[in-house]
Amino acid sequence: MLVTNRFVVDAGVADEFTREAHAALAALAARPGYRRGELLRALDDPAHWCLLTEWESVGAYRRALGGFDVKVTAVPLLARSVDEPSAYETLASAAPDGEIVVAASDRAAGPYR
């Protein structure tokens, strides 16, 4: 599962944002089920940033958000991200020069899950 939180950050607060994002990434990285994470900045517009994290499952990510350090450090930062869908499940993948591997969705067939 991939989570992408996008931010628009004024140049005057970019250093502060970077410190907060590093602390948030460290708090998330300490949680069970965390696979990897990156802080990214757009090449063509340096005001646009992205905090990208990968998790072993939806449940691991949701449980991570409940951890005390994450609530104190990461959640306030994540609340300032662009209001858009941010959690994505993997439906197909491929390693370099590899075959496409298709995965079934974890989403329920009905709308009331």
Side-chain angles (χ1 to χ4, degrees):
M1 183 194 143
L2 194 66
V3 179
T4 59
N5 296 100
R6 294 186 322 113
F7 303 87
V8 179
V9 180
D10 291 331
V13 296
D15 289 343
E16 178 184 348
F17 171 80
T18 301
R19 283 190 298 277
E20 292 173 4
H22 289 176
L25 191 56
L28 291 165
R31 302 301 301 166
Y34 174 90
R35 289 191 173 161
R36 69 181 183 94
E38 300 175 54
L39 177 62
L40 311 162
R41 185 168 58 186
L43 294 172
D44 52 351
D45 186 345
H48 289 255
W49 295 72
C50 181
L51 183 64
L52 174 93
T53 55
E54 185 177 356
W55 300 86
E56 70 181 24
S57 66
V58 173
Y61 174 64
R62 289 183 178 162
R63 285 187 296 278
L65 292 178
F68 178 77
D69 287 345
V70 172
K71 283 183 182 179
V72 171
T73 307
V75 170
L77 178 79
L78 300 178
R80 297 192 328 248
S81 66
V82 175
D83 187 16
E84 64 185 11
S86 62
Y88 297 86
E89 64 179 338
T90 300
L91 298 178
S93 61
D97 295 323
E99 298 287 324
I100 300 293
V101 178
V102 176
S105 174
D106 280 341
R107 293 179 51 99
Y112 301 108
R113 181 175 182 183

